[in-house]
Amino acid sequence: MFGAAGSNLTHGGSNGLLYVAGAGNETLNAATSTGGNTVFGGSGADSIVAGSGSLTFVSGTNQTATTIAGGASSPTLFGAAGSDLTYAGSGGALYIAAAGSETINAAASTGNNTFFAGSGADSIVAGSGNDTVIAGTGAVSATGGNGADVFAFFHGQVGSGNADAISSFGANDLVLLSGYGPNGVASSVTGGGNTTVTLSDNTTITFTGVTNLNLNQIVST
């Protein structure tokens, strides 16, 4: 099914839906749907209410102010260059960023989400669940939520020399440095109300608003 600017569609039942959005702002309410739905976003601000069936959403390039809410399943969300997505569901989402800068705000979500940053300058906001943010080859700015979050950096898979940032880093959060060996942290400097850690590959991670960073919360393997 193809959408159009201003369209407002309600979809229910067990049959899956393939929906391709157009250029304008559109609404898809699939709250009573139990089938697997796939939605391709357009360039407008789309509003999607998910059901209990699976949801795969593919953002459109430069698609702004798109919201996905509801749903008990774990949706798979694909970003795109310039996309701005808000996720407010209860199921743990899998978000995969693409090339180019993009934003995913899952502050209102309650499930355990997994976010893969891409090759652009990405902004990722975690929710109240135990979320995992995996850095990509581009610079990532990540914000923790109320859960026990993990921020993972895989040596050779992150951009060497990147300037990454983590805000709202709580006492239950953890940074995982995989493939860096036991000496992944080369130095740590506190100043201006923040703490910046430099890794052995010259990647920097700035912990915004943290002046007493507990290095035991950084695990390097």
Side-chain angles (χ1 to χ4, degrees):
M1 179 176 292
F2 291 89
S7 64
N8 190 334
L9 174 68
T10 298
H11 172 70
S14 60
N15 292 327
L17 174 71
L18 173 61
Y19 184 84
V20 180
N25 302 336
E26 305 171 39
T27 299
L28 171 62
N29 188 341
T32 62
S33 172
T34 59
N37 300 316
T38 300
V39 178
F40 288 87
S43 58
D46 297 332
S47 177
I48 300 167
V49 179
S52 60
S54 63
L55 171 66
T56 298
F57 176 80
V58 181
S59 297
T61 301
N62 295 322
Q63 185 174 18
T64 60
T66 293
T67 301
I68 297 176
S73 64
S74 298
T76 299
L77 313 174
F78 293 92
S83 64
D84 186 349
L85 178 64
T86 297
Y87 173 64
S90 60
L94 171 62
Y95 179 85
I96 302 172
S101 302
E102 49 200 276
T103 298
I104 170 72
N105 187 340
S109 68
T110 57
N112 300 328
N113 305 309
T114 300
F115 306 96
F116 283 87
S119 58
D122 298 331
S123 175
I124 298 173
V125 180
S128 60
N130 300 328
D131 296 338
T132 300
V133 178
I134 301 170
T137 56
V140 61
S141 176
T143 301
N146 293 328
D149 300 324
V150 175
F151 303 89
F153 297 80
F154 289 85
H155 188 270
Q157 298 182 30
V158 299
S160 178
N162 275 357
D164 300 316
I166 299 174
S167 58
S168 298
F169 187 73
N172 294 320
D173 296 335
L174 185 72
V175 170
L176 172 64
L177 307 178
S178 179
Y180 282 85
N183 299 313
V185 176
S187 66
S188 176
V189 177
T190 299
N194 309 315
T195 298
T196 298
V197 169
T198 301
L199 307 184
S200 58
D201 63 354
N202 291 320
T203 295
T204 61
I205 307 172
T206 297
F207 295 84
T208 306
V210 176
T211 57
N212 57 345
L213 179 66
N214 181 358
L215 292 179
N216 289 326
Q217 290 179 259
I218 301 178
V219 177
S220 185
T221 62

mmCIF file of all heavy atoms in Angstrom, residues 44-76:
data_model
loop_
_atom_site.group_PDB
_atom_site.id
_atom_site.type_symbol
_atom_site.label_atom_id
_atom_site.label_comp_id
_atom_site.label_asym_id
_atom_site.label_seq_id
_atom_site.Cartn_x
_atom_site.Cartn_y
_atom_site.Cartn_z
ATOM 1 N N GLY A 44 8.287 13.015 4.932
ATOM 2 C CA GLY A 44 7.487 13.788 5.872
ATOM 3 C C GLY A 44 7.597 13.271 7.288
ATOM 4 O O GLY A 44 8.351 12.340 7.585
ATOM 5 N N ALA A 45 6.843 13.910 8.185
ATOM 6 C CA ALA A 45 6.799 13.504 9.587
ATOM 7 C C ALA A 45 5.682 12.481 9.750
ATOM 8 O O ALA A 45 4.504 12.831 9.806
ATOM 9 C CB ALA A 45 6.570 14.715 10.481
ATOM 10 N N ASP A 46 6.047 11.221 9.843
ATOM 11 C CA ASP A 46 5.064 10.152 9.950
ATOM 12 C C ASP A 46 4.837 9.776 11.412
ATOM 13 O O ASP A 46 5.744 9.840 12.247
ATOM 14 C CB ASP A 46 5.527 8.915 9.177
ATOM 15 C CG ASP A 46 5.669 9.189 7.683
ATOM 16 O OD1 ASP A 46 4.957 10.072 7.184
ATOM 17 O OD2 ASP A 46 6.498 8.530 7.033
ATOM 18 N N SER A 47 3.612 9.347 11.717
ATOM 19 C CA SER A 47 3.250 8.878 13.051
ATOM 20 C C SER A 47 2.735 7.454 12.933
ATOM 21 O O SER A 47 1.785 7.194 12.186
ATOM 22 C CB SER A 47 2.173 9.785 13.657
ATOM 23 O OG SER A 47 1.755 9.293 14.920
ATOM 24 N N ILE A 48 3.375 6.539 13.665
ATOM 25 C CA ILE A 48 3.038 5.121 13.558
ATOM 26 C C ILE A 48 2.727 4.568 14.950
ATOM 27 O O ILE A 48 3.514 4.746 15.889
ATOM 28 C CB ILE A 48 4.197 4.321 12.934
ATOM 29 C CG1 ILE A 48 4.501 4.856 11.528
ATOM 30 C CG2 ILE A 48 3.871 2.839 12.877
ATOM 31 C CD1 ILE A 48 5.803 4.347 10.963
ATOM 32 N N VAL A 49 1.585 3.907 15.070
ATOM 33 C CA VAL A 49 1.235 3.199 16.295
ATOM 34 C C VAL A 49 1.319 1.714 16.001
ATOM 35 O O VAL A 49 0.567 1.197 15.169
ATOM 36 C CB VAL A 49 -0.170 3.567 16.794
ATOM 37 C CG1 VAL A 49 -0.508 2.788 18.064
ATOM 38 C CG2 VAL A 49 -0.279 5.071 17.050
ATOM 39 N N ALA A 50 2.249 1.040 16.651
ATOM 40 C CA ALA A 50 2.483 -0.378 16.375
ATOM 41 C C ALA A 50 1.508 -1.250 17.147
ATOM 42 O O ALA A 50 0.922 -0.831 18.156
ATOM 43 C CB ALA A 50 3.924 -0.734 16.735
ATOM 44 N N GLY A 51 1.342 -2.481 16.665
ATOM 45 C CA GLY A 51 0.500 -3.456 17.339
ATOM 46 C C GLY A 51 1.340 -4.509 18.039
ATOM 47 O O GLY A 51 2.507 -4.289 18.368
ATOM 48 N N SER A 52 0.746 -5.687 18.226
ATOM 49 C CA SER A 52 1.460 -6.764 18.921
ATOM 50 C C SER A 52 2.305 -7.603 17.968
ATOM 51 O O SER A 52 3.143 -8.392 18.408
ATOM 52 C CB SER A 52 0.466 -7.673 19.650
ATOM 53 O OG SER A 52 -0.452 -8.256 18.732
ATOM 54 N N GLY A 53 2.114 -7.422 16.664
ATOM 55 C CA GLY A 53 2.933 -8.130 15.690
ATOM 56 C C GLY A 53 4.255 -7.422 15.464
ATOM 57 O O GLY A 53 4.501 -6.332 15.990
ATOM 58 N N SER A 54 5.110 -8.043 14.691
ATOM 59 C CA SER A 54 6.426 -7.466 14.441
ATOM 60 C C SER A 54 6.316 -6.225 13.557
ATOM 61 O O SER A 54 5.387 -6.082 12.770
ATOM 62 C CB SER A 54 7.343 -8.492 13.778
ATOM 63 O OG SER A 54 6.838 -8.861 12.498
ATOM 64 N N LEU A 55 7.291 -5.326 13.739
ATOM 65 C CA LEU A 55 7.337 -4.116 12.930
ATOM 66 C C LEU A 55 8.761 -3.898 12.445
ATOM 67 O O LEU A 55 9.711 -3.904 13.230
ATOM 68 C CB LEU A 55 6.888 -2.896 13.731
ATOM 69 C CG LEU A 55 7.099 -1.526 13.054
ATOM 70 C CD1 LEU A 55 6.202 -1.394 11.810
ATOM 71 C CD2 LEU A 55 6.845 -0.381 14.021
ATOM 72 N N THR A 56 8.891 -3.673 11.135
ATOM 73 C CA THR A 56 10.155 -3.236 10.549
ATOM 74 C C THR A 56 9.921 -1.871 9.925
ATOM 75 O O THR A 56 9.028 -1.701 9.094
ATOM 76 C CB THR A 56 10.650 -4.221 9.475
ATOM 77 O OG1 THR A 56 10.883 -5.508 10.072
ATOM 78 C CG2 THR A 56 11.952 -3.720 8.854
ATOM 79 N N PHE A 57 10.720 -0.896 10.368
ATOM 80 C CA PHE A 57 10.567 0.459 9.850
ATOM 81 C C PHE A 57 11.881 0.909 9.231
ATOM 82 O O PHE A 57 12.942 0.815 9.853
ATOM 83 C CB PHE A 57 10.167 1.433 10.955
ATOM 84 C CG PHE A 57 10.078 2.869 10.487
ATOM 85 C CD1 PHE A 57 8.959 3.315 9.801
ATOM 86 C CD2 PHE A 57 11.117 3.755 10.719
ATOM 87 C CE1 PHE A 57 8.876 4.625 9.347
ATOM 88 C CE2 PHE A 57 11.045 5.060 10.278
ATOM 89 C CZ PHE A 57 9.920 5.508 9.585
ATOM 90 N N VAL A 58 11.803 1.419 8.003
ATOM 91 C CA VAL A 58 12.969 1.916 7.285
ATOM 92 C C VAL A 58 12.786 3.411 7.073
ATOM 93 O O VAL A 58 11.868 3.843 6.366
ATOM 94 C CB VAL A 58 13.156 1.199 5.936
ATOM 95 C CG1 VAL A 58 14.395 1.722 5.222
ATOM 96 C CG2 VAL A 58 13.237 -0.312 6.133
ATOM 97 N N SER A 59 13.635 4.200 7.692
ATOM 98 C CA SER A 59 13.513 5.652 7.581
ATOM 99 C C SER A 59 13.814 6.135 6.170
ATOM 100 O O SER A 59 14.638 5.553 5.461
ATOM 101 C CB SER A 59 14.480 6.339 8.552
ATOM 102 O OG SER A 59 14.180 6.030 9.892
ATOM 103 N N GLY A 60 13.172 7.220 5.796
ATOM 104 C CA GLY A 60 13.495 7.881 4.550
ATOM 105 C C GLY A 60 14.630 8.873 4.750
ATOM 106 O O GLY A 60 14.872 9.346 5.870
ATOM 107 N N THR A 61 15.357 9.177 3.702
ATOM 108 C CA THR A 61 16.441 10.148 3.783
ATOM 109 C C THR A 61 15.905 11.518 4.175
ATOM 110 O O THR A 61 14.909 11.989 3.622
ATOM 111 C CB THR A 61 17.173 10.239 2.429
ATOM 112 O OG1 THR A 61 17.685 8.947 2.095
ATOM 113 C CG2 THR A 61 18.315 11.234 2.500
ATOM 114 N N ASN A 62 16.541 12.103 5.201
ATOM 115 C CA ASN A 62 16.145 13.418 5.722
ATOM 116 C C ASN A 62 14.714 13.428 6.250
ATOM 117 O O ASN A 62 14.083 14.498 6.311
ATOM 118 C CB ASN A 62 16.317 14.506 4.656
ATOM 119 C CG ASN A 62 17.761 14.717 4.258
ATOM 120 O OD1 ASN A 62 18.662 14.660 5.106
ATOM 121 N ND2 ASN A 62 17.993 14.942 2.965
ATOM 122 N N GLN A 63 14.226 12.287 6.662
ATOM 123 C CA GLN A 63 12.882 12.224 7.231
ATOM 124 C C GLN A 63 12.919 12.753 8.657
ATOM 125 O O GLN A 63 13.683 12.284 9.494
ATOM 126 C CB GLN A 63 12.347 10.797 7.217
ATOM 127 C CG GLN A 63 10.901 10.699 7.701
ATOM 128 C CD GLN A 63 10.334 9.297 7.539
ATOM 129 O OE1 GLN A 63 11.075 8.342 7.391
ATOM 130 N NE2 GLN A 63 9.031 9.174 7.573
ATOM 131 N N THR A 64 12.085 13.737 8.962
ATOM 132 C CA THR A 64 12.142 14.394 10.259
ATOM 133 C C THR A 64 10.892 14.125 11.084
ATOM 134 O O THR A 64 9.808 13.860 10.557
ATOM 135 C CB THR A 64 12.299 15.916 10.086
ATOM 136 O OG1 THR A 64 11.169 16.412 9.358
ATOM 137 C CG2 THR A 64 13.570 16.244 9.318
ATOM 138 N N ALA A 65 11.082 14.200 12.405
ATOM 139 C CA ALA A 65 9.974 14.194 13.369
ATOM 140 C C ALA A 65 9.032 13.004 13.205
ATOM 141 O O ALA A 65 7.818 13.136 13.329
ATOM 142 C CB ALA A 65 9.197 15.498 13.284
ATOM 143 N N THR A 66 9.590 11.836 12.958
ATOM 144 C CA THR A 66 8.774 10.626 12.858
ATOM 145 C C THR A 66 8.683 9.944 14.227
ATOM 146 O O THR A 66 9.680 9.830 14.935
ATOM 147 C CB THR A 66 9.364 9.653 11.833
ATOM 148 O OG1 THR A 66 9.259 10.233 10.526
ATOM 149 C CG2 THR A 66 8.632 8.324 11.840
ATOM 150 N N THR A 67 7.485 9.499 14.588
ATOM 151 C CA THR A 67 7.246 8.905 15.896
ATOM 152 C C THR A 67 6.680 7.496 15.747
ATOM 153 O O THR A 67 5.757 7.279 14.964
ATOM 154 C CB THR A 67 6.263 9.757 16.717
ATOM 155 O OG1 THR A 67 6.795 11.069 16.891
ATOM 156 C CG2 THR A 67 6.019 9.128 18.082
ATOM 157 N N ILE A 68 7.248 6.565 16.515
ATOM 158 C CA ILE A 68 6.724 5.197 16.587
ATOM 159 C C ILE A 68 6.376 4.927 18.042
ATOM 160 O O ILE A 68 7.227 5.027 18.928
ATOM 161 C CB ILE A 68 7.743 4.172 16.072
ATOM 162 C CG1 ILE A 68 8.043 4.421 14.593
ATOM 163 C CG2 ILE A 68 7.224 2.750 16.272
ATOM 164 C CD1 ILE A 68 9.106 3.506 14.027
ATOM 165 N N ALA A 69 5.125 4.582 18.297
ATOM 166 C CA ALA A 69 4.651 4.364 19.663
ATOM 167 C C ALA A 69 3.907 3.048 19.744
ATOM 168 O O ALA A 69 3.514 2.463 18.730
ATOM 169 C CB ALA A 69 3.756 5.514 20.106
ATOM 170 N N GLY A 70 3.685 2.591 20.991
ATOM 171 C CA GLY A 70 2.901 1.396 21.226
ATOM 172 C C GLY A 70 3.614 0.142 20.798
ATOM 173 O O GLY A 70 4.788 0.146 20.428
ATOM 174 N N GLY A 71 2.871 -0.942 20.826
ATOM 175 C CA GLY A 71 3.415 -2.220 20.389
ATOM 176 C C GLY A 71 4.143 -2.958 21.501
ATOM 177 O O GLY A 71 4.906 -2.374 22.264
ATOM 178 N N ALA A 72 3.879 -4.270 21.575
ATOM 179 C CA ALA A 72 4.531 -5.086 22.593
ATOM 180 C C ALA A 72 5.682 -5.891 22.026
ATOM 181 O O ALA A 72 6.458 -6.490 22.781
ATOM 182 C CB ALA A 72 3.499 -6.034 23.228
ATOM 183 N N SER A 73 5.808 -5.910 20.714
ATOM 184 C CA SER A 73 6.885 -6.669 20.088
ATOM 185 C C SER A 73 8.150 -5.822 20.034
ATOM 186 O O SER A 73 8.166 -4.653 20.409
ATOM 187 C CB SER A 73 6.489 -7.107 18.682
ATOM 188 O OG SER A 73 6.292 -5.981 17.853
ATOM 189 N N SER A 74 9.229 -6.417 19.561
ATOM 190 C CA SER A 74 10.508 -5.719 19.456
ATOM 191 C C SER A 74 10.729 -5.294 18.012
ATOM 192 O O SER A 74 11.088 -6.121 17.173
ATOM 193 C CB SER A 74 11.643 -6.637 19.924
ATOM 194 O OG SER A 74 11.467 -6.989 21.287
ATOM 195 N N PRO A 75 10.532 -4.020 17.705
ATOM 196 C CA PRO A 75 10.635 -3.578 16.310
ATOM 197 C C PRO A 75 12.082 -3.484 15.852
ATOM 198 O O PRO A 75 13.007 -3.287 16.651
ATOM 199 C CB PRO A 75 9.974 -2.200 16.338
ATOM 200 C CG PRO A 75 10.247 -1.707 17.724
ATOM 201 C CD PRO A 75 10.179 -2.924 18.600
ATOM 202 N N THR A 76 12.275 -3.586 14.563
ATOM 203 C CA THR A 76 13.571 -3.347 13.939
ATOM 204 C C THR A 76 13.479 -2.038 13.173
ATOM 205 O O THR A 76 12.633 -1.883 12.293
ATOM 206 C CB THR A 76 13.952 -4.491 12.985
ATOM 207 O OG1 THR A 76 14.039 -5.719 13.725
ATOM 208 C CG2 THR A 76 15.304 -4.218 12.331
#
